[in-house]
Amino acid sequence: MKILVTGAHGFLGRSLLDLVGEMEWVGCGRSAESVSPCPYFQIDLQNSDAVTELLEEVRPDWVINTAALTNVDQCEEDRDLARQVNLDPVGHLVSACKRVDAGLVQLSTDYVFDGDGGPYTEKDEPNPLSHYGRLKLDGEQLVLEGSARAIVVRTLWLYGYVPQAHPNFVTWALGALHRNDHLKIFDDQWGNPTYIHDLARSLIELCSHNARGLFHMGGVTFMTRYDLALELAGFFDLDAGLIEPIATRAAGLKAKRPLRSGLSTDALEAELERRPLSFTEGLEHMVRQESFRHDFPHFS
């Protein structure tokens, strides 16, 4: 099976392409830098002709679209850019996938919900609070209504270690605690952290199963960001006294966040016949990675 991954230089894109040998991988992205050892194409996904030409050349069985602008506050402030990156390319991919009979996997987010009653199932009514959430919901609808072979996977709070990828909440907090920095962490935002390699594995399995429709993917541990930071400190024997709880409203963020969020994974578990990893299991997997031990020898 050949899978084309957009956003190949990102956190999830690199995680997928790291699974060399399990699939025939092809990456694409805005950067001119290739992603070894897979074939790689530089592309502007906002150019519909370029997207069509790429898919006609590659002829993938599936496209996994991980390309996105995930800075929620930036999306709130620069709505034109947010649409150009988070929505317009989705329409181009839908059309191109139809043309070559490729399946399309679209990544989405818990930000399609208002955070009043999580964890949410796929049947719960979306009600996004932010421009980012509204765009992601519009993208979901484009894919599900426009593609015969369509999968939408909502996920949240991605963590793990991927060399060359930007820091995520866990690696950022880990570095800060190691330096004995004081951290202020939200204690009113709830969710279920998702281990990046567990998500990558789930996406592959969904493609292999030739699945269809909407799925939620998150870890099995439901917690606040503050709880997450405390558990992280305990796992690595760091000073939890450096972590101070604060309320989201105190941060003065541009975009509203869903507070009591979280995603129920029953449908995914039924499809894959396994449960996602807990937060502790994800950390245990992370510290066994050779790349983590090499780059963070003080935690090995």
Side-chain angles (χ1 to χ4, degrees):
M1 186 164 59
K2 183 188 291 186
I3 301 180
L4 173 66
V5 177
T6 70
H9 293 88
F11 189 32
L12 179 56
R14 288 183 184 275
S15 299
L16 286 161
L17 297 178
D18 277 348
L19 298 171
V20 177
E22 301 196 14
M23 299 291 166
E24 182 180 354
W25 294 105
V26 180
C28 69
R30 291 179 299 171
S31 174
E33 178 188 359
S34 65
V35 182
S36 179
C38 305
Y40 174 80
F41 295 84
Q42 184 180 16
I43 187 174
D44 178 4
L45 292 176
Q46 297 172 38
N47 184 328
S48 60
D49 290 339
V51 173
T52 299
E53 290 171 9
L54 175 61
L55 264 70
E56 287 182 334
E57 178 175 352
V58 174
R59 295 280 168 172
D61 297 294
W62 287 90
V63 176
I64 301 180
N65 181 30
T66 76
L69 176 62
T70 57
N71 185 319
V72 182
D73 295 317
Q74 185 181 0
C75 288
E76 202 69 23
E77 293 185 297
D78 194 341
R79 298 192 172 200
D80 288 340
L81 176 63
R83 182 180 184 88
Q84 290 166 14
V85 177
N86 287 339
L87 186 59
D88 293 346
V90 178
H92 302 333
L93 287 168
V94 168
S95 298
C97 285
K98 271 186 182 179
R99 190 179 182 97
V100 301
D101 191 29
L104 178 57
V105 182
Q106 173 67 18
L107 272 294
S108 191
T109 171
D110 65 316
Y111 276 60
V112 301
F113 296 110
D114 56 22
D116 284 344
Y120 294 97
T121 72
E122 293 84 354
K123 295 181 179 180
D124 287 321
E125 190 70 25
N127 183 32
L129 302 176
S130 64
H131 190 59
Y132 171 73
R134 287 189 289 274
L135 287 175
K136 296 302 283 186
L137 182 59
D138 289 345
E140 291 182 8
Q141 293 167 345
L142 277 178
V143 171
L144 292 173
E145 294 172 4
S147 302
R149 297 169 57 212
I151 302 172
V152 170
V153 178
R154 293 173 181 153
T155 189
L156 74 170
W157 294 21
L158 304 185
Y159 72 94
Y161 182 66
V162 177
Q164 298 180 292
H166 291 299
N168 54 84
F169 184 84
V170 162
T171 53
W172 164 77
L174 195 55
L177 291 170
H178 179 64
R179 295 188 302 269
N180 290 319
D181 293 344
H182 288 268
L183 301 180
K184 293 183 178 181
I185 307 295
F186 300 128
D187 66 350
D188 56 353
Q189 291 187 19
W190 289 82
N192 41 324
T194 309
Y195 183 53
I196 191 71
H197 294 291
D198 198 16
L199 172 60
R201 175 75 58 192
S202 297
L203 296 176
I204 291 175
E205 291 175 3
L206 288 171
C207 292
S208 298
H209 289 196
N210 210 23
R212 300 285 192 279
L214 176 63
F215 295 91
H216 286 179
M217 170 63 189
V220 298
T221 310
F222 186 58
M223 64 201 317
T224 67
R225 290 190 182 272
Y226 176 66
D227 293 333
L228 185 159
L230 292 179
E231 188 163 329
L232 183 69
F235 185 91
F236 287 99
D237 196 24
L238 296 166
D239 185 3
L242 295 168
I243 305 168
E244 176 187 345
I246 63 167
T248 299
R249 65 177 180 276
L253 301 171
K254 298 288 184 182
K256 291 183 178 179
R257 269 67 170 171
L259 296 183
R260 191 169 184 85
S261 189
L263 297 173
S264 172
T265 60
D266 290 349
L268 185 80
E269 292 179 38
E271 177 68 35
L272 304 185
E273 297 183 339
R274 67 172 180 85
R275 66 169 182 78
L277 298 181
S278 69
F279 183 58
T280 299
E281 288 170 335
L283 294 180
E284 289 171 346
H285 185 281
M286 185 177 76
V287 299
R288 290 196 299 268
Q289 288 177 240
E290 183 178 348
S291 57
F292 181 86
R293 295 197 305 270
H294 178 271
D295 294 342
F296 295 88
H298 39 280
F299 293 130
S300 301

